[in-house]
mmCIF file of all heavy atoms in Angstrom:
data_model
loop_
_atom_site.group_PDB
_atom_site.id
_atom_site.type_symbol
_atom_site.label_atom_id
_atom_site.label_comp_id
_atom_site.label_asym_id
_atom_site.label_seq_id
_atom_site.Cartn_x
_atom_site.Cartn_y
_atom_site.Cartn_z
ATOM 1 N N MET A 185 27.823 3.892 -6.481
ATOM 2 C CA MET A 185 26.798 2.840 -6.483
ATOM 3 C C MET A 185 26.137 2.760 -7.860
ATOM 4 O O MET A 185 25.513 3.709 -8.324
ATOM 5 C CB MET A 185 25.727 3.184 -5.424
ATOM 6 C CG MET A 185 24.692 2.085 -5.200
ATOM 7 S SD MET A 185 25.406 0.610 -4.423
ATOM 8 C CE MET A 185 24.081 -0.570 -4.672
ATOM 9 N N TYR A 187 23.306 1.147 -10.298
ATOM 10 C CA TYR A 187 22.019 0.463 -10.233
ATOM 11 C C TYR A 187 21.227 0.767 -11.496
ATOM 12 O O TYR A 187 21.502 1.742 -12.199
ATOM 13 C CB TYR A 187 21.221 0.877 -9.002
ATOM 14 C CG TYR A 187 21.017 2.367 -8.875
ATOM 15 C CD1 TYR A 187 19.858 2.960 -9.381
ATOM 16 C CD2 TYR A 187 21.969 3.181 -8.264
ATOM 17 C CE1 TYR A 187 19.670 4.319 -9.273
ATOM 18 C CE2 TYR A 187 21.781 4.540 -8.157
ATOM 19 C CZ TYR A 187 20.629 5.106 -8.662
ATOM 20 O OH TYR A 187 20.429 6.456 -8.554
ATOM 21 N N SER A 198 12.362 -7.388 -13.156
ATOM 22 C CA SER A 198 11.493 -7.767 -12.043
ATOM 23 C C SER A 198 10.601 -8.938 -12.430
ATOM 24 O O SER A 198 10.462 -9.912 -11.684
ATOM 25 C CB SER A 198 10.587 -6.594 -11.633
ATOM 26 O OG SER A 198 11.329 -5.539 -11.095
ATOM 27 N N ALA A 225 4.155 -5.939 -6.174
ATOM 28 C CA ALA A 225 3.695 -4.847 -5.303
ATOM 29 C C ALA A 225 4.066 -5.095 -3.838
ATOM 30 O O ALA A 225 4.279 -4.147 -3.084
ATOM 31 C CB ALA A 225 2.180 -4.678 -5.429
ATOM 32 N N ALA A 226 4.127 -6.375 -3.460
ATOM 33 C CA ALA A 226 4.419 -6.704 -2.056
ATOM 34 C C ALA A 226 5.893 -7.024 -1.832
ATOM 35 O O ALA A 226 6.349 -7.051 -0.689
ATOM 36 C CB ALA A 226 3.573 -7.898 -1.612
ATOM 37 N N GLY A 227 6.629 -7.276 -2.906
ATOM 38 C CA GLY A 227 8.009 -7.744 -2.756
ATOM 39 C C GLY A 227 8.061 -9.072 -2.023
ATOM 40 O O GLY A 227 9.012 -9.367 -1.314
ATOM 41 N N MET A 261 -6.151 4.740 -0.492
ATOM 42 C CA MET A 261 -4.888 4.195 -0.995
ATOM 43 C C MET A 261 -5.124 3.243 -2.165
ATOM 44 O O MET A 261 -4.308 3.166 -3.081
ATOM 45 C CB MET A 261 -4.101 3.480 0.109
ATOM 46 C CG MET A 261 -3.315 4.422 1.006
ATOM 47 S SD MET A 261 -2.229 3.522 2.145
ATOM 48 C CE MET A 261 -0.784 3.265 1.118
ATOM 49 N N THR A 264 -5.832 5.442 -5.133
ATOM 50 C CA THR A 264 -4.595 6.091 -5.573
ATOM 51 C C THR A 264 -3.731 5.129 -6.384
ATOM 52 O O THR A 264 -3.102 5.517 -7.361
ATOM 53 C CB THR A 264 -3.805 6.595 -4.350
ATOM 54 O OG1 THR A 264 -4.636 7.494 -3.611
ATOM 55 C CG2 THR A 264 -2.536 7.317 -4.767
ATOM 56 N N PHE A 325 -17.251 -7.848 4.350
ATOM 57 C CA PHE A 325 -18.443 -8.485 4.931
ATOM 58 C C PHE A 325 -19.708 -7.750 4.502
ATOM 59 O O PHE A 325 -20.720 -8.360 4.157
ATOM 60 C CB PHE A 325 -18.363 -8.479 6.469
ATOM 61 C CG PHE A 325 -17.521 -9.581 7.051
ATOM 62 C CD1 PHE A 325 -16.479 -9.290 7.918
ATOM 63 C CD2 PHE A 325 -17.783 -10.918 6.771
ATOM 64 C CE1 PHE A 325 -15.704 -10.306 8.487
ATOM 65 C CE2 PHE A 325 -17.017 -11.935 7.334
ATOM 66 C CZ PHE A 325 -15.979 -11.629 8.192
ATOM 67 N N VAL A 346 -6.562 -6.609 4.896
ATOM 68 C CA VAL A 346 -5.325 -6.986 5.570
ATOM 69 C C VAL A 346 -5.505 -6.879 7.071
ATOM 70 O O VAL A 346 -6.263 -6.054 7.546
ATOM 71 C CB VAL A 346 -4.184 -6.055 5.099
ATOM 72 C CG1 VAL A 346 -4.488 -4.599 5.415
ATOM 73 C CG2 VAL A 346 -2.847 -6.453 5.695
ATOM 74 N N VAL A 349 -7.596 -9.054 12.605
ATOM 75 C CA VAL A 349 -8.931 -9.169 13.182
ATOM 76 C C VAL A 349 -9.965 -9.122 12.063
ATOM 77 O O VAL A 349 -10.283 -8.064 11.544
ATOM 78 C CB VAL A 349 -9.199 -8.040 14.209
ATOM 79 C CG1 VAL A 349 -10.629 -8.117 14.731
ATOM 80 C CG2 VAL A 349 -8.213 -8.134 15.357
ATOM 81 N N ASN A 372 -3.738 -13.471 6.691
ATOM 82 C CA ASN A 372 -3.744 -12.093 7.201
ATOM 83 C C ASN A 372 -3.232 -11.060 6.208
ATOM 84 O O ASN A 372 -3.486 -9.871 6.361
ATOM 85 C CB ASN A 372 -2.870 -12.004 8.461
ATOM 86 C CG ASN A 372 -3.362 -12.918 9.565
ATOM 87 O OD1 ASN A 372 -4.556 -12.990 9.841
ATOM 88 N ND2 ASN A 372 -2.437 -13.658 10.179
ATOM 89 N N MET B 96 -23.155 -14.037 9.742
ATOM 90 C CA MET B 96 -21.714 -13.938 10.046
ATOM 91 C C MET B 96 -21.503 -12.863 11.109
ATOM 92 O O MET B 96 -21.820 -11.696 10.905
ATOM 93 C CB MET B 96 -20.961 -13.562 8.758
ATOM 94 C CG MET B 96 -19.441 -13.577 8.870
ATOM 95 S SD MET B 96 -18.762 -15.230 9.126
ATOM 96 C CE MET B 96 -17.084 -14.831 9.606
ATOM 97 N N TYR B 98 -18.983 -10.576 13.335
ATOM 98 C CA TYR B 98 -17.614 -10.070 13.318
ATOM 99 C C TYR B 98 -17.566 -8.740 14.060
ATOM 100 O O TYR B 98 -18.598 -8.084 14.238
ATOM 101 C CB TYR B 98 -17.097 -9.924 11.887
ATOM 102 C CG TYR B 98 -17.958 -9.056 11.010
ATOM 103 C CD1 TYR B 98 -17.712 -7.695 10.881
ATOM 104 C CD2 TYR B 98 -19.039 -9.593 10.316
ATOM 105 C CE1 TYR B 98 -18.501 -6.899 10.086
ATOM 106 C CE2 TYR B 98 -19.839 -8.796 9.510
ATOM 107 C CZ TYR B 98 -19.565 -7.453 9.402
ATOM 108 O OH TYR B 98 -20.360 -6.665 8.618
ATOM 109 N N SER B 109 -6.231 -6.045 17.478
ATOM 110 C CA SER B 109 -5.119 -6.187 16.529
ATOM 111 C C SER B 109 -3.789 -5.990 17.234
ATOM 112 O O SER B 109 -2.851 -6.776 17.050
ATOM 113 C CB SER B 109 -5.228 -5.145 15.406
ATOM 114 O OG SER B 109 -6.351 -5.372 14.609
ATOM 115 N N ALA B 137 0.840 -4.534 6.981
ATOM 116 C CA ALA B 137 1.185 -5.593 6.023
ATOM 117 C C ALA B 137 0.455 -6.897 6.315
ATOM 118 O O ALA B 137 0.435 -7.788 5.477
ATOM 119 C CB ALA B 137 2.688 -5.842 6.044
ATOM 120 N N GLY B 138 -0.109 -7.020 7.508
ATOM 121 C CA GLY B 138 -0.695 -8.295 7.917
ATOM 122 C C GLY B 138 0.361 -9.383 7.973
ATOM 123 O O GLY B 138 0.077 -10.555 7.730
ATOM 124 N N MET B 172 0.780 7.013 -3.291
ATOM 125 C CA MET B 172 0.188 6.091 -2.316
ATOM 126 C C MET B 172 0.748 6.328 -0.918
ATOM 127 O O MET B 172 0.039 6.172 0.072
ATOM 128 C CB MET B 172 0.407 4.630 -2.729
ATOM 129 C CG MET B 172 -0.601 4.140 -3.751
ATOM 130 S SD MET B 172 -0.458 2.345 -4.053
ATOM 131 C CE MET B 172 -1.479 1.687 -2.727
ATOM 132 N N THR B 175 -0.966 9.428 0.343
ATOM 133 C CA THR B 175 -2.358 9.125 0.677
ATOM 134 C C THR B 175 -2.461 8.414 2.021
ATOM 135 O O THR B 175 -3.376 8.659 2.801
ATOM 136 C CB THR B 175 -2.983 8.238 -0.428
ATOM 137 O OG1 THR B 175 -2.883 8.923 -1.670
ATOM 138 C CG2 THR B 175 -4.437 7.932 -0.140
ATOM 139 N N MET B 211 13.162 9.460 -9.292
ATOM 140 C CA MET B 211 14.481 10.102 -9.195
ATOM 141 C C MET B 211 14.369 11.578 -9.515
ATOM 142 O O MET B 211 14.914 12.436 -8.807
ATOM 143 C CB MET B 211 15.472 9.460 -10.178
ATOM 144 C CG MET B 211 16.030 8.120 -9.755
ATOM 145 S SD MET B 211 17.058 7.402 -11.073
ATOM 146 C CE MET B 211 18.598 8.292 -10.828
ATOM 147 N N PHE B 236 18.198 5.762 -3.676
ATOM 148 C CA PHE B 236 19.587 5.964 -4.119
ATOM 149 C C PHE B 236 19.852 7.441 -4.398
ATOM 150 O O PHE B 236 20.894 7.988 -4.041
ATOM 151 C CB PHE B 236 19.869 5.155 -5.399
ATOM 152 C CG PHE B 236 20.180 3.703 -5.168
ATOM 153 C CD1 PHE B 236 19.457 2.706 -5.828
ATOM 154 C CD2 PHE B 236 21.207 3.303 -4.319
ATOM 155 C CE1 PHE B 236 19.756 1.365 -5.636
ATOM 156 C CE2 PHE B 236 21.508 1.950 -4.127
ATOM 157 C CZ PHE B 236 20.776 0.986 -4.787
ATOM 158 N N VAL B 257 10.153 -1.301 -2.345
ATOM 159 C CA VAL B 257 9.718 -2.690 -2.455
ATOM 160 C C VAL B 257 10.111 -3.248 -3.811
ATOM 161 O O VAL B 257 10.176 -2.510 -4.786
ATOM 162 C CB VAL B 257 8.182 -2.762 -2.268
ATOM 163 C CG1 VAL B 257 7.448 -1.929 -3.312
ATOM 164 C CG2 VAL B 257 7.665 -4.193 -2.283
ATOM 165 N N VAL B 260 14.298 -5.640 -7.896
ATOM 166 C CA VAL B 260 15.421 -5.046 -8.626
ATOM 167 C C VAL B 260 15.841 -3.764 -7.925
ATOM 168 O O VAL B 260 15.205 -2.722 -8.068
ATOM 169 C CB VAL B 260 15.036 -4.751 -10.095
ATOM 170 C CG1 VAL B 260 16.177 -4.056 -10.813
ATOM 171 C CG2 VAL B 260 14.678 -6.050 -10.807
ATOM 172 N N ASN B 283 13.404 -7.757 0.130
ATOM 173 C CA ASN B 283 12.565 -7.274 -0.972
ATOM 174 C C ASN B 283 11.273 -6.595 -0.526
ATOM 175 O O ASN B 283 10.656 -5.868 -1.284
ATOM 176 C CB ASN B 283 12.192 -8.448 -1.884
ATOM 177 C CG ASN B 283 13.407 -9.133 -2.479
ATOM 178 O OD1 ASN B 283 14.317 -8.469 -2.953
ATOM 179 N ND2 ASN B 283 13.433 -10.455 -2.431
#
Side-chain angles (χ1 to χ4, degrees):
Chain A
M185 187 68 193
Y187 55 94
S198 294
M261 279 188 85
T264 302
F325 279 125
V346 60
V349 176
N372 300 316
Chain B
M96 187 67 193
Y98 56 92
S109 294
M172 278 188 85
T175 302
M211 283 175 80
F236 279 126
V257 59
V260 176
N283 300 315

